[in-house]
Amino acid sequence: MDLETLNQQIAEIEADVAKKVGDMQAVDALRSLDTSILGKKGTLGSLIGGIKDYPPAQKGQVGQTINAAKKRVKAIIDARHAALKQAAVSADSAGAMAHDPTLPGDRPTMGSVHPVTAVQWEVERIFERLGFTVEAGPEMESEYHNFEALNIPASHPARDMQDTFWLTNGSVLRTHTSPVQHRSMKKFGAPLRVIAPGRCFRYETIDASHENTFHQVEGLLIDKDISIANLIAMAKTLLNEVMNREVKVRVRPGFFPFVEPGIELDMNCEICDGAGCATCKRSGWIEVLPAGMVHPKVLEAGGIDTEVYTGFAFGLGLTRLAMMKYGIRDIRVLNSGDLRPIVGRERQGGAVIVSREP
Ligand code: FA5
């Protein structure tokens, strides 16, 4: 091709590029255009291969003409590329501005403490006011602390009262918080005022009011001239304060080898207000606070002088108390890890029944 035809062809290519580039909105399309014009096999790029066919005197000029054309086309494509990028940045910030920064933001979903923890803290505060200290004991407990130190020797039928998870190392998952009684007597001696909240484990059938993992709060008061009247008065104060009103209770005899005499203190079922429901097994009452005067054998095992001191102990069913306080009909929800937001609260009898998002 002579020089004139070459120049004409280059002019047509440049005009075509300028037109196509003006219409292009996407960076990807620009890249393909770049290849199809400037690449080795592209309309301009391939002209380089034709230089060899020109007479030696013209080769230099042909090469310069083609390279100059390539630079101009490259400049057109690059300019469009830069313009598209700038447009994208502007669109982004226009989008950000569509958000009115003066509007209040979205509220983050707040967590809250577990109902059992909330009641535990409340119980701790009440007892701290009464001069009690808060102790903890191990959840994996020795057979001695869980049973023997509490006057329940190996052959004692009372061992069957609490179905036990035995561990292969001979220890147990504590069936109650009562082992902390012995540990506290050994640690502090008498006089003594201590509570011990904690998790307990029982190998038992689960239903609306029985879990295999639940919480109790042990209470132990040892001093001179302590009587069962002190115990009942303190238990009533505790329940009234947690429930924020006068709670109906009943006291009946109870048997536990580590107390003598023993009592069962039940509270009115707040779910059905005493009418009878699945939670209270149609009885209208919930067992929450078994207790009694500490058995002399338990005091002796703890190194307490039984000539000088007497004491009372109780094992508050903390999980059940939390159910009564928050109107939770079924104990199983407490260990279910259900974090769905509460969407409604409704008062039924004395209880507040919560409903959750489906
Ligand atoms: C005891 O565990 C005794 N250690 C309590 C005690 C302490 C008596 C000191 C005297 C002196 P009991 O097995 O009844 O007793 O359990 C105490 C409370 O824990 C019950 O009233 C109940 O509220 C709660 N509880 C017992 N088993 C379960 C369970 N499976 N699920 C939920 N709560 C339970």
Side-chain angles (χ1 to χ4, degrees):
M1 155 188 356
D2 60 25
L3 271 178
E4 195 181 328
T5 315
L6 176 68
N7 281 329
Q8 199 178 333
Q9 192 173 340
I10 287 174
E12 279 167 17
I13 292 171
E14 282 190 50
D16 185 43
V17 167
K19 181 178 177 309
K20 281 185 177 152
V21 160
D23 295 340
M24 275 181 185
Q25 300 301 327
V27 171
D28 280 356
L30 267 180
R31 283 202 195 103
S32 346
L33 182 72
D34 188 311
T35 318
S36 70
I37 306 290
L38 300 172
K40 262 191 183 166
K41 292 182 184 164
T43 42
L44 257 185
S46 62
L47 292 177
I48 299 284
I51 296 177
K52 64 178 184 327
D53 301 328
Y54 285 88
Q58 286 186 349
K59 278 184 181 164
Q61 193 190 348
V62 170
Q64 280 171 14
T65 305
I66 296 171
N67 279 332
K70 279 177 78 177
K71 268 190 188 159
R72 287 193 300 276
V73 166
K74 180 96 180 101
I76 294 171
I77 292 175
D78 284 352
R80 182 66 186 154
H81 195 166
L84 284 181
K85 253 171 113 176
Q86 183 54 46
V89 171
S90 308
D92 256 11
S93 43
M97 288 308 289
H99 249 338
D100 183 346
T102 61
L103 286 175
D106 290 340
R107 250 177 205 280
T109 316
M110 297 292 281
S112 59
V113 294
H114 193 279
V116 173
T117 310
V119 179
Q120 178 182 321
W121 289 350
E122 213 170 334
V123 170
E124 287 175 7
R125 271 200 309 275
I126 294 166
F127 278 104
E128 276 165 355
R129 256 188 7 240
L130 297 170
F132 284 69
T133 52
V134 181
E135 275 293 295
E139 291 178 348
M140 183 178 77
E141 189 52 282
S142 69
E143 183 180 353
Y144 172 77
H145 285 94
N146 200 76
F147 296 118
E148 272 151 48
L150 292 165
N151 195 28
I152 319 176
S155 55
H156 200 291
R159 285 215 179 181
D160 298 337
M161 284 167 72
Q162 300 171 356
D163 295 311
T164 308
F165 285 113
W166 289 90
L167 303 178
T168 48
N169 64 3
S171 302
V172 299
L173 291 182
R174 68 173 172 195
T175 54
H176 51 179
T177 42
S178 297
V180 189
Q181 286 187 31
H182 180 78
R183 290 181 177 279
S184 304
M185 287 183 226
K186 285 285 192 191
K187 188 169 167 189
F188 301 111
L192 178 62
R193 286 173 185 227
V194 71
I195 59 161
R199 217 153 41 141
C200 308
F201 310 86
R202 290 191 197 170
Y203 182 50
E204 62 178 303
T205 312
I206 292 172
D207 60 27
S209 57
H210 291 83
E211 250 292 1
N212 52 29
T213 305
F214 58 96
H215 284 73
Q216 291 184 345
V217 180
E218 196 72 12
L220 175 65
L221 187 151
I222 299 173
D223 214 325
K224 293 174 184 160
D225 305 322
I226 296 300
S227 77
I228 205 148
N230 302 128
L231 161 63
I232 294 172
M234 193 172 273
K236 280 186 179 168
T237 307
L238 167 72
L239 296 179
N240 291 345
E241 288 211 21
V242 170
M243 299 301 292
N244 284 325
R245 67 202 151 80
E246 183 97 12
V247 179
K248 221 192 308 173
V249 296
R250 73 171 181 188
V251 179
R252 56 199 169 93
F255 170 72
F256 303 91
F258 34 95
V259 287
E260 182 55 42
I263 59 164
E264 288 276 4
L265 194 139
D266 305 333
M267 68 182 278
N268 181 51
C269 177
E270 299 291 307
I271 304 293
C272 59
D273 202 14
C277 65
T279 313
C280 61
K281 304 240 163 16
R282 317 277 159 213
S283 71
W285 296 97
I286 294 283
E287 283 178 21
V288 281
L289 206 136
M293 298 303 291
V294 183
H295 197 290
K297 281 194 178 167
V298 176
L299 291 173
E300 278 161 17
I304 306 294
D305 184 348
T306 51
E307 295 291 316
V308 183
Y309 292 107
T310 49
F312 67 68
F314 61 82
L316 170 70
L318 183 65
T319 307
R320 290 201 189 151
L321 185 57
M323 290 169 70
M324 294 300 104
K325 171 139 179 143
Y326 295 112
I328 298 165
R329 293 163 186 271
D330 195 314
I331 198 167
R332 287 166 282 206
V333 302
L334 289 166
N335 287 351
S336 70
D338 189 346
L339 297 179
R340 281 174 304 160
I342 290 172
V343 290
R345 284 190 169 79
E346 181 195 338
R347 188 164 277 285
Q348 275 181 27
V352 179
I353 308 300
V354 299
S355 48
R356 293 175 177 278
E357 257 178 18

